[in-house]
Amino acid sequence: MLYHFFLALHSASRWMIVICLILLLLRSYIGWKKKYQIKLYDSTLQIITLVLLYIQFAVGLTLYFESPIVQYFIDNFKEAVKLRQVRFFGMEHITMMTIGIIVFTIGYIKAHKAPSSEAKFKTIFIYTTWATCIILTSIPWEFSPLTSRPSFRMF
């Protein structure tokens, strides 16, 4: 029962993260190209995105260790690694999402150390672009031919 709640939460919160990443990409690109000064809004958006990513990661780890698919993957590794959807959830999804979050975190740290607003926006844009690409390609979208899950799950 708790597994299904966390699964629905994990699925729903991805949309908040996708929206935050898109807003951050737009704002950082415009700020960089138009040489805007960093505002409280920019820092707040970056922190909110980071916190949402960390919460999503914690929920994802909970799911990972409770998932029957992952349990099958671990128990039957030699056979399971050959099954696309089982391998995706047992190994690929968690690995790529972890890398995406690490890339975003590095960008967050580097942006705060950057000497100017222009450099901050550029750093945010570059690292957020990489993190977004990694994250978006690792989500089991409903339309994905590789592994598919519903866009929205009910609680």
Side-chain angles (χ1 to χ4, degrees):
M1 183 73 152
L2 194 58
Y3 173 77
H4 294 292
F5 172 78
F6 279 114
L7 192 59
L9 178 64
H10 194 65
S11 178
S13 59
R14 78 172 139 176
W15 294 106
M16 291 186 293
I17 291 169
V18 168
I19 289 167
C20 284
L21 287 169
I22 291 169
L23 289 173
L24 193 56
L25 281 171
L26 291 171
R27 179 64 186 164
S28 61
Y29 182 78
I30 292 167
W32 171 30
K33 292 301 179 181
K34 293 194 175 189
K35 299 181 183 349
Y36 289 162
Q37 291 298 309
I38 289 277
K39 297 204 170 20
L40 180 60
Y41 166 82
D42 302 308
S43 298
T44 303
L45 180 57
Q46 198 179 20
I47 290 168
I48 288 170
T49 305
L50 186 67
V51 168
L52 286 173
L53 284 169
Y54 284 0
I55 291 169
Q56 184 76 333
F57 184 71
V59 172
L61 278 178
T62 302
L63 285 171
Y64 185 81
F65 291 109
E66 294 296 320
S67 169
I69 296 171
V70 173
Q71 192 59 52
Y72 177 82
F73 177 79
I74 292 168
D75 293 344
N76 305 286
F77 182 79
K78 287 186 180 183
E79 299 91 36
V81 79
K82 298 173 187 168
L83 301 171
R84 175 76 187 123
Q85 290 204 20
V86 176
R87 184 181 67 240
F88 178 81
F89 289 106
M91 185 170 44
E92 296 168 7
H93 181 66
I94 192 167
T95 302
M96 295 307 289
M97 291 302 185
T98 302
I99 292 168
I101 292 168
I102 290 169
V103 168
F104 188 87
T105 303
I106 291 168
Y108 175 81
I109 293 166
K110 285 184 168 277
H112 283 279
K113 293 180 178 180
S116 67
S117 285
E118 183 180 354
K120 288 178 193 295
F121 277 125
K122 181 179 179 182
T123 302
I124 294 167
F125 179 74
I126 290 169
Y127 280 87
T128 302
T129 298
W130 279 108
T132 302
C133 289
I134 294 166
I135 290 167
L136 290 180
T137 58
S138 302
I139 293 174
W141 296 107
E142 186 173 6
F143 51 82
S144 174
L146 302 174
T147 187
S148 177
R149 292 295 183 264
S151 294
F152 298 96
R153 291 185 182 267
M154 294 305 191
F155 284 90

